Amino acid sequence: MSSETTQTGRLPTLVRGLDVTVTAAAVVFWAIVLAWAYTQTWSTVRYGTVFVGGIMTVYALNETREAVEAGDWIDGAVLIPSSLVLITASAYFALNFEQVYLLRQGFALEHEYMLARLIIISLLYLTWREFGNLFLGLVVGVMIYAIFGDAVPGVLGHAGMSELTLLQATVTDLYGFYGQLTQLTASWIAPFLLYAGLLFAYGAFDLILRVAIVAANYIKSGVAQTAVLSSAVIGSINGSYTANAAMTGSFTIPTMQESGMAGHRAAGIEAVASTSGQVLPPVMGASAFVMASYLGVPYVNIIVAGLVPAAILVASIGIAVHYTALSDASSQEMEFSEFFDETLSTEQKVFEAFRFGIPFGILIYLLGIAQFTVMTSALYTVVAMVLTGILMPTVQRLVDSDETTPGQEFVSQVKDTIHGFRRGAIILAPIAIILVVISGVVNIFGTTGVPAKIALLLINLSGGVLFAVLLGMAVAILMGVGMPTVAAYVIVAILIVPTFVADFGIPEITAHYTVFYAAILAGITPPVATAAVVAAGIAEANFWRTCGAAIKIAAPLFVLPVSFVYNPAMVSMSLGLSTVVVGSLVLLGAITIIYGLNYPFRMKPGRTIGLRALLTALGVFVMVYPNNVVKLGGIAVFVGIFLAEKVMVRGLELPFKRGAGQ
């Protein structure tokens, strides 16, 4: 037997061995996370160092397995040393925590500085590997700016930073890469992503798809609406519109194309759906947790504040997708049998409702009513999900006459649970990497005083609140290129939000939601538009036409951040009548824009273009203008145009008109 044949035979064995190792590492990692959430015997700083080592172990093993399977031995050879550095660092800092964190603040031993250098190199490699050149350039640029700030002219210049000071700010003082964002990820975000992994493993998203397909049969734009629903729900959890477009788009885009929809429109719908998922409570792509931490308010308050804006966005996108599907003249009928071999019986539906409903109910009760901490609520939700996830199908086997025995079902669900632990760790790993790195960047910003300098620059450049908000949105979109929404939001929140609050009088929660909504625009804003790039690639469609379709569908999203500033009652941590009223009026403004840009008018091209421009401008005015009476006037104009189009162009007889004729 040749050495090449032997090598080929060993490869599957190595891959399987790595596969088992990844699963075992994920289970051990989650055992540590859940044990700490229950006992909290370590400080959050010490736990953060252990967390980084644990999640990097899972990430490196999984990525090495994929690299070996793809035959990329060089990638695997670099991944292992990088992960070993981070694992070693975690163990060292956890074991020597008192000396490093309490006794040696502001200086470190020589071998600790050397370890810090290796940590920075390893994290830069993982950052480049996961998020590409743009984000790597940002991080390296911040470090260069920190060291050579004395060479920067004007208001952005600073005294500069020595290499040792940079190492202290990022690593050895445990305030940088192991700082607040990392600790937040470890204690708040991680358990929720374990919950998401369990939902995947137990088939919750298949259940969502079943519901979407059934609902789609009652709506003319059924296929497209299914894409919106499934992508938005999953996008709320995974924290990356790019990953979501790749994950759900591989199913939804071909389905829309098979129904007769043009490729660029199908890709545009998926890009928007993946992007809009980032604003949906309760997870909001992990940004809700960070926002709650920055504002120092209960997490549930952030969710309440985001309900009305999310409802406006989802409703307007749903209507836009409906019009897009109609104007495309595609067949939007879906056959259930095309996706699933069998339907669920009434009994199965009841069991599934209890299986997923009980943990979710516990989460809502603990967070919203009992006011438990996020971490404790997530812990009990995960425990409940594991119990119902395993026991409900087992009990169901006792009730029905299925060929599978209860014992076999129990074993099968335990395997699914282990798979859910693994899936949760794999979902968490990229988010953890970028938040660890951003945590270091934020500490560098704080050390160099950049936020105060940005504030001065923004005041000098701006000609008022509107210009400042537009400038802030531009920065948020720029920061959102090549990185998840939560990372872009964090950077802009550090740099710009304090200026919005202190110098322009914008309420804190409004300022945070303004930059948060702006940060997600990068997914569909050319020339980068990463969500549109991925969706267009799947659809084999033109990138620019895809961006155009996405912008037409999500047009109100570009106006909402400005609308928040001029209508602060929309974003309120206590829902009241004023919030509902203003939110409803802004929604009607958003619908005016959607109607103007997407409705299939039956007019000559010149008239159609003029009407679309008029309605778009009217919708923007209604969404932004702060006076409710004026908003109502604008809405009355829209209603008049809407009815006139139906009567004059489509020949529709209004009920009161028929009554008058009789």
Side-chain angles (χ1 to χ4, degrees):
M1 184 180 293
S2 66
S3 60
E4 184 178 346
T5 305
T6 304
Q7 185 73 17
T8 305
R10 289 174 180 171
L11 186 58
T13 304
L14 177 59
V15 171
R16 283 196 298 271
L18 285 170
D19 196 54
V20 172
T21 307
V22 171
T23 304
V27 172
V28 172
F29 167 74
W30 286 120
I32 294 172
V33 170
L34 295 177
W36 183 84
Y38 182 71
T39 62
Q40 298 183 44
T41 52
W42 295 334
S43 70
T44 54
V45 182
R46 190 173 195 172
Y47 167 60
T49 63
V50 175
F51 172 84
V52 171
I55 193 60
M56 294 306 170
T57 302
V58 177
Y59 174 80
L61 288 171
N62 184 62
E63 295 300 311
T64 301
R65 178 191 63 80
E66 292 184 359
V68 170
E69 195 171 19
D72 190 352
W73 293 92
I74 296 177
D75 189 25
V78 180
L79 269 169
I80 293 299
S82 298
S83 64
L84 286 175
V85 167
L86 295 169
I87 294 165
T88 302
S90 291
Y92 178 83
F93 290 134
L95 293 173
N96 298 278
F97 179 75
E98 286 79 8
Q99 289 78 12
V100 173
Y101 186 70
L102 300 177
L103 302 179
R104 290 204 296 268
Q105 279 291 308
F107 74 96
L109 304 178
E110 184 55 40
H111 67 273
E112 292 171 344
Y113 285 129
M114 183 56 65
L115 182 60
R117 294 184 184 99
L118 293 175
I119 289 171
I120 291 174
I121 293 171
S122 299
L123 283 175
L124 288 178
Y125 171 71
L126 295 181
T127 296
W128 168 79
R129 190 182 183 282
E130 192 65 34
F131 300 101
N133 294 330
L134 284 172
F135 186 61
L136 175 65
L138 170 68
V139 178
V140 172
V142 169
M143 290 183 176
I144 292 174
Y145 169 74
I147 294 174
F148 300 104
D150 54 342
V152 178
V155 69
L156 291 178
H158 62 90
M161 186 182 290
S162 69
E163 183 207 3
L164 295 185
T165 304
L166 178 67
L167 295 177
Q168 292 162 8
T170 53
V171 181
T172 59
D173 283 351
L174 302 185
Y175 283 117
F177 294 135
Y178 301 101
Q180 181 185 5
L181 279 179
T182 299
Q183 296 159 31
L184 183 69
T185 305
S187 57
W188 284 19
I189 297 174
F192 270 92
L193 293 184
L194 172 56
Y195 178 45
L198 292 170
L199 289 175
F200 272 108
Y202 292 142
F205 293 102
D206 282 343
L207 189 63
I208 291 170
L209 186 57
R210 285 175 181 268
V211 173
I213 292 172
V214 172
N217 291 323
Y218 298 94
I219 307 172
K220 287 185 179 180
S221 54
V223 174
Q225 298 295 355
T226 297
V228 172
L229 178 60
S230 57
S231 296
V233 171
I234 295 173
S236 173
I237 294 173
N238 68 12
S240 170
Y241 41 67
T242 306
N244 191 42
M247 183 191 307
T248 59
S250 59
F251 158 75
T252 59
I253 292 173
T255 303
M256 285 186 278
Q257 288 179 292
E258 287 173 10
S259 73
M261 182 174 286
H264 70 281
R265 286 199 177 102
I269 289 172
E270 175 57 41
V272 172
S274 297
T275 300
S276 64
Q278 305 288 298
V279 306
L280 292 185
V283 181
M284 292 166 54
S287 298
F289 304 109
V290 181
M291 197 181 299
S293 175
Y294 279 158
L295 292 173
V297 299
Y299 165 75
V300 69
N301 288 12
I302 302 299
I303 299 305
V304 170
L307 290 177
V308 169
I312 292 169
L313 185 61
V314 171
S316 59
I317 288 175
I319 294 170
V321 167
H322 180 72
Y323 286 151
T324 301
L326 292 183
S327 61
D328 209 64
S330 57
S331 170
Q332 293 286 308
E333 295 181 0
M334 301 184 75
E335 294 294 334
F336 192 86
S337 58
E338 293 180 12
F339 304 95
F340 299 101
D341 295 331
E342 58 184 18
T343 59
L344 296 178
S345 65
T346 302
E347 181 184 277
Q348 289 172 318
K349 292 176 182 176
V350 171
F351 273 102
E352 290 294 284
F354 278 110
R355 188 186 193 192
F356 297 112
I358 290 174
F360 188 71
I362 289 173
L363 174 62
I364 298 301
Y365 171 77
L366 293 179
L367 273 179
I369 300 174
Q371 298 286 302
F372 278 37
T373 64
V374 173
M375 185 175 57
T376 304
S377 301
L379 171 65
Y380 289 134
T381 300
V382 166
V383 171
M385 187 69 258
V386 170
L387 291 176
T388 60
I390 294 174
L391 296 179
M392 282 296 173
T394 305
V395 173
Q396 188 178 349
R397 293 291 83 82
L398 290 171
V399 175
D400 61 28
S401 56
D402 195 277
E403 294 179 1
T404 305
T405 65
Q408 291 172 325
E409 186 66 39
F410 180 84
V411 172
S412 174
Q413 295 304 324
V414 169
K415 290 180 179 177
D416 283 346
T417 302
I418 294 173
H419 176 70
F421 276 52
R422 172 183 171 138
R423 183 66 180 268
I426 291 172
I427 294 172
L428 170 64
I431 296 175
I433 288 172
I434 199 165
L435 287 178
V436 166
V437 174
I438 289 294
S439 187
V441 169
V442 167
N443 202 46
I444 291 175
F445 282 154
T447 304
T448 57
V450 168
K453 299 175 186 297
I454 293 291
L456 289 173
L457 188 64
L458 193 60
I459 293 169
N460 291 335
L461 288 176
S462 69
V465 176
L466 178 60
F467 189 84
V469 170
L470 293 176
L471 191 60
M473 287 176 60
V475 174
I477 293 171
L478 183 64
M479 289 298 175
V481 172
M483 69 176 81
T485 300
V486 62
Y489 157 68
V490 167
I491 292 178
V492 182
I494 291 294
L495 294 179
I496 293 178
V497 165
T499 307
F500 281 0
V501 175
D503 297 297
F504 295 100
I506 299 173
E508 266 195 306
I509 184 67
T510 303
H512 277 272
Y513 262 95
T514 297
V515 298
F516 168 54
Y517 266 67
I520 71 172
L521 289 171
I524 56 174
T525 304
V528 181
T530 49
V533 167
V534 172
I538 295 172
E540 298 181 354
N542 179 272
F543 166 72
W544 292 102
R545 294 188 73 189
T546 298
C547 284
I551 290 172
K552 283 175 63 179
I553 293 168
L557 178 56
F558 290 82
V559 185
L560 268 175
V562 182
S563 184
F564 295 158
V565 173
Y566 286 96
N567 300 271
M570 284 175 58
V571 186
S572 173
M573 288 187 276
S574 57
L575 282 178
L577 182 61
S578 62
T579 301
V580 175
V581 169
V582 174
S584 300
L585 295 176
V586 171
L587 172 60
L588 290 172
I591 293 172
T592 304
I593 297 174
I594 291 300
Y595 182 78
L597 291 178
N598 297 278
Y599 188 75
F601 292 111
R602 296 177 184 176
M603 298 179 186
K604 293 179 180 180
R607 291 183 179 179
T608 299
I609 292 173
L611 184 57
R612 291 192 190 282
L614 172 63
L615 287 169
T616 302
L618 179 63
V620 172
F621 177 78
V622 171
M623 287 185 70
V624 173
Y625 199 81
N627 186 287
N628 288 348
V629 175
V630 176
K631 286 182 187 293
L632 285 171
I635 292 166
V637 174
F638 164 62
V639 171
I641 294 173
F642 180 86
L643 294 177
E645 194 274 340
K646 297 294 176 290
V647 174
M648 296 172 63
V649 179
R650 298 181 183 261
L652 187 69
E653 290 190 1
L654 299 176
F656 61 82
K657 184 178 178 182
R658 289 198 300 270
Q662 292 172 355

